Amino acid sequence: MSRRFSLTATAVFAASLVAGGAFAPAAVAASPLGLAPLPLPLPSLLQEREQDRLTVTVVDTNITRADGTYELRCGPAGGSHPESASACARLDELAGEAKDPFAPVPKGQMCTMQMGGPATARVTGTWQGRSVDATFSRKNGCEISRWQNLVPVLPAARG
């Protein structure tokens, strides 16, 4: 629907230029044929945001109905993910912070040796125009923190 609105707005603007309407900028001179040149379409108006598509597979969360494989689509939110709207909002928030929620724990990172339970997850697909293939666990403090950072894309697992 937003694409249709953008295209309609662009067409109305272009028509007003041809007709010499109020929207016609003063800097646009008439062509020798008496018609104002049509503006070039703005790419942002004509191109929809590429939809983020992720497959989230979660096992051993100890949460009823949390284990399984879910499709998550963002832009607009949808798919079989049980919390698609809030999951997409979280991903948008992380993107706004310029953080990569799918980056692994850096090599050599000191992590507490606590066990957060047997839950594991794998996220594959496309996010922000790039391929994603990330695995998550709760085997130490760094991995628990990484998992919690991605809730509600991943369920809030219990140990």
Side-chain angles (χ1 to χ4, degrees):
M1 180 157 155
S2 65
R3 179 181 171 104
R4 194 173 329 141
F5 176 78
S6 296
L7 291 173
T8 302
T10 302
V12 168
F13 179 73
S16 73
L17 288 177
V18 170
F23 292 108
V28 176
S31 71
L33 299 176
L35 298 176
L38 292 177
L40 294 174
L42 299 173
S44 62
L45 291 177
L46 298 179
Q47 294 177 354
E48 285 187 26
R49 171 183 160 191
E50 183 178 325
Q51 191 174 48
D52 297 332
R53 294 177 182 268
L54 298 171
T55 300
V56 181
T57 303
V58 184
V59 296
D60 296 330
T61 60
N62 296 325
I63 302 172
T64 305
R65 297 185 306 268
D67 291 357
T69 298
Y70 308 99
E71 296 298 323
L72 176 62
R73 293 187 311 272
C74 298
S80 61
H81 192 284
E83 297 182 56
S84 62
S86 55
C88 290
R90 179 63 182 145
L91 288 172
D92 284 345
E93 179 182 0
L94 292 168
E97 296 171 3
K99 294 182 180 177
D100 181 359
F102 305 107
V105 173
K107 292 189 187 300
Q109 177 75 39
M110 299 282 289
C111 302
T112 60
M113 298 307 296
Q114 66 190 82
M115 177 63 167
T120 60
R122 182 172 183 199
V123 181
T124 58
T126 304
W127 181 70
Q128 298 288 307
R130 66 178 180 85
S131 293
V132 172
D133 189 351
T135 56
F136 295 83
S137 72
R138 298 178 59 79
K139 66 183 179 183
N140 61 44
C142 294
E143 291 290 348
I144 294 169
S145 176
R146 188 169 163 251
W147 182 296
Q148 290 304 118
N149 187 48
L150 213 50
V151 170
V153 176
L154 301 178
R158 309 187 271 267

